[in-house]
Amino acid sequence: MVSALLVALRASVVTLVLTGVMYPLVVTGVAQVLFHHEANGSLAKDEQGREVGSALIGQGFTRPGYFQPRPSAAGSGYDATASGGSNLGPTSQKLRDRAVADADRLRRENPEAPGPVPGELVTASGSGLDPHVSPESALWQVPRVARARGVDPARVRALVASQVEGRTFGVLGEPRVNVLTLNLAMDRQFGGPAPAPASP
């Protein structure tokens, strides 16, 4: 009986050390060596070197000189502690009203944009934290961003094209643009946008 308990105790201690101490340390060490940036949150920095967010988590941009992401239903919007969708179905009047209001706002803010508002700019992702938009959605916003920054639209389109990420491993997903890194690239290349006029 005592010998069986000692065997069980030894097995428990060895398992605890291997799976609870050694394995996490090895995995963390390998991640820090091979994928240091990703293992530490893929943090993005501005031109002053300040951390301004993670390239993995969407955040809201409302100033006209910045590209805007998809809407978010995570918490009060882009809340990484409350990731999730609205859980409103395709027949929901509330969802329809929000999408129509967003589309109207986007048309007002982007009067020179070509064609209709891209659907993804009025529909939230399942997590509410998607940091990407399609290249088409980014290009749709170019006239507004270029006008707000006083920059030739062709230069802004070229910058968007340079920020397009291809399919993962060449086959998974779709081409996409990370909104945060695109906006940071805009600031690096063209300087920050002019501040919005103060409300009367």
Side-chain angles (χ1 to χ4, degrees):
M1 175 79 173
V2 173
S3 62
L5 287 174
L6 289 174
V7 169
L9 181 60
R10 281 197 302 268
S12 297
V13 169
V14 169
T15 302
L16 176 65
V17 170
L18 287 176
T19 62
V21 178
M22 298 302 296
Y23 177 76
L25 286 175
V26 169
V27 170
T28 301
V30 169
Q32 287 294 330
V33 171
L34 299 180
F35 309 103
H36 181 75
H37 179 67
E38 292 83 356
N40 289 292
S42 296
L43 299 177
K45 297 182 179 181
D46 65 10
E47 60 274 9
Q48 281 85 37
R50 296 173 300 197
E51 292 174 350
V52 294
S54 169
L56 303 176
I57 299 176
Q59 57 181 275
F61 291 91
T62 56
R63 291 174 63 185
Y66 287 111
F67 289 88
Q68 296 176 8
R70 297 178 69 176
S72 172
S76 58
Y78 310 100
D79 182 355
T81 65
S83 174
S86 66
N87 292 329
L88 299 175
T91 60
S92 167
Q93 185 64 40
K94 183 177 180 181
L95 177 63
R96 183 182 185 284
D97 291 344
R98 187 203 49 76
V100 168
D102 281 351
D104 289 343
R105 174 186 57 80
L106 286 164
R107 277 192 288 269
R108 284 193 311 273
E109 294 174 354
N110 298 270
E112 301 165 351
V117 176
E120 71 184 293
L121 292 180
V122 296
T123 55
S125 66
S127 69
L129 302 174
D130 189 349
H132 298 97
V133 295
S134 67
E136 295 76 19
S137 290
L139 291 169
W140 187 84
Q141 300 179 62
V142 163
R144 181 198 76 240
V145 173
R147 185 179 66 249
R149 289 178 178 259
V151 176
D152 181 1
R155 296 180 65 198
V156 178
R157 279 192 293 273
L159 183 59
V160 170
S162 75
Q163 294 290 312
V164 173
E165 302 171 13
R167 291 179 171 88
T168 304
F169 306 121
V171 294
L172 300 177
E174 294 295 327
R176 57 205 176 269
V177 178
N178 187 295
V179 177
L180 174 60
T181 56
L182 173 59
N183 285 331
L184 289 172
M186 289 287 297
D187 284 350
R188 281 192 297 273
Q189 184 158 336
F190 305 119
S199 300

